Amino acid sequence: MAYIFVADDFTGASDTLATLSRAGFRARLFRDVPEPSALKGLEAWGIATPARSLGREDISRLAKELGAKLAPYSPDFLHLKICSTFDSSPEIGNIASLAQGLADALGIADIAVIGGQPSLGRHAVFGTLFARGPDGCVHRIDRHPVMSTHPVTPMREADMIRHLATLGLNGLHHVGRGCHGTEFPRFYDALCQSDISAAGMDLLLSGKRLMVMGSSSVAEAWLAAKPARERPALPKSRSNGPILVFAGSRSSLTTTQIGAATEFSCLPISPIELMEQGLAFDAAQAWSQERLDRGQDCIIYVTADVAPNISAADLAQMSAGFVASLLASTKVGGLIVAGGDTSSAIVNRLAPDWLDHAGDICAGVPILRAGYEGSEFALALKGGQMGDVDFFRRAVKKLRGSSSGS
């Protein structure tokens, strides 16, 4: 049976896709549950959803719809891919509601959570989550310089048992490092990679149908219980033409990365200007098209201006409209999107048939090849807290033909 994962956004989904691909599994990412004919030859596949930006009612509806579509596949191990920082709230992007809704729809009684991803600098100890910050230091998640001030879902609780309970996932049994779980639902600590392997072995030995929540560490845990395979040679990703970057992420790290991208033409657009679609919107479209047509790499970024009456979901949808309109009028060599909600909205608007892993830019950010309008399209999706200061410079170099395996 194939490894199946459902992600709450496209940035995280692409990381899990890459994790499985690097391990030698034939994997592909879709926007919805595909027809069986589209799965021929695949050993792993996933669905990326916009759940991170959805309200509670919309998430419940999404869980029921996806559950009904997944039911014929009757997965014994379903990975619910969530952000490694667990940022979520009862009202927006409720990961517990999504998990419980999917589990109910699929008749899965047992839920587990893997709390860390050491390969990304995320660590869970004594049920408490820590994450490496842009300063290179590891912070408790409620004191993290980016996640504690997230504009939509700030993390104010580091105790994951308490945090998930506020979202509706109650009664989690804590499983310490290297220990065996005895009851479900359960939460696994993970300080180092061996803890991930131990959690994977423990889960698969349980013999139960499972819904396992967590970042790509869930895939790492599952892979640890499988025979090792040779890492496949990936094709080089070569993109001719200018690169368009659209940054919907307003995190402090993304802002710093934009400031360091001095070789790009950069244009700010405020949330209000984006939503109004007035003269400023049209001027931004014209500015972008003029520079892309003459081969200049461009960054369009949404400013951090306060817009209290604009929801994250609406802003992401308007961002998607901006990018789709621009790509319909000019040819680019590749697209980079910063921001989880923004990535999901843009990819759904462009509606590629599939997404494959084609290389890596940095930890957590792979290069994707998308089946798009009868051809292929190079794409990279970056979460707001991912990458070093020189991320955009490195990303363009990768998209333009560096070896995808490097």
Side-chain angles (χ1 to χ4, degrees), residues 245-323:
V245 176
F246 189 93
S249 165
R250 292 178 282 170
S251 76
S252 58
L253 176 57
T254 300
T255 299
T256 300
Q257 291 166 335
I258 292 170
T262 55
E263 63 272 48
F264 287 78
S265 288
C266 296
L267 180 71
I269 184 167
S270 75
I272 293 173
E273 290 170 339
L274 197 59
M275 294 298 295
E276 288 179 344
Q277 296 190 68
L279 293 177
F281 183 99
D282 293 340
Q285 287 267 315
W287 182 95
S288 305
Q289 182 170 347
E290 177 188 354
R291 283 155 179 79
L292 291 168
D293 284 346
R294 66 176 187 238
Q296 175 66 52
D297 299 330
C298 292
I299 296 178
I300 317 301
Y301 64 95
V302 181
T303 65
D305 297 346
V306 176
N309 297 320
I310 300 175
S311 71
D314 288 342
L315 188 59
Q317 289 301 321
M318 294 311 300
S319 299
F322 182 97
V323 171

Side-chain angles (χ1 to χ4, degrees), residues 156-287:
R156 299 193 174 100
E157 176 59 74
D159 183 324
M160 290 296 98
I161 309 296
R162 289 176 177 269
H163 172 60
L164 290 167
T166 65
L167 302 178
L169 183 55
N170 296 295
L172 281 167
H173 297 272
H174 177 240
V175 183
R177 299 178 56 209
C179 295
H180 298 286
T182 57
E183 298 181 69
F184 288 95
R186 62 178 67 158
F187 178 95
Y188 286 90
D189 278 348
L191 177 63
C192 58
Q193 205 61 29
S194 63
D195 299 331
I196 297 295
S197 300
M201 296 295 290
D202 193 44
L203 286 169
L204 293 182
L205 287 173
S206 72
K208 299 196 178 261
R209 292 186 69 209
L210 296 173
M211 158 85 68
V212 186
M213 296 173 61
S215 61
S216 294
S217 58
V218 175
E220 294 172 343
W222 184 83
L223 289 166
K226 303 292 179 182
R229 299 187 182 190
E230 184 177 351
R231 179 171 175 170
L234 296 173
K236 290 184 178 181
S237 173
R238 297 194 180 278
S239 300
N240 297 317
I243 304 299
L244 171 64
V245 176
F246 189 93
S249 165
R250 292 178 282 170
S251 76
S252 58
L253 176 57
T254 300
T255 299
T256 300
Q257 291 166 335
I258 292 170
T262 55
E263 63 272 48
F264 287 78
S265 288
C266 296
L267 180 71
I269 184 167
S270 75
I272 293 173
E273 290 170 339
L274 197 59
M275 294 298 295
E276 288 179 344
Q277 296 190 68
L279 293 177
F281 183 99
D282 293 340
Q285 287 267 315
W287 182 95

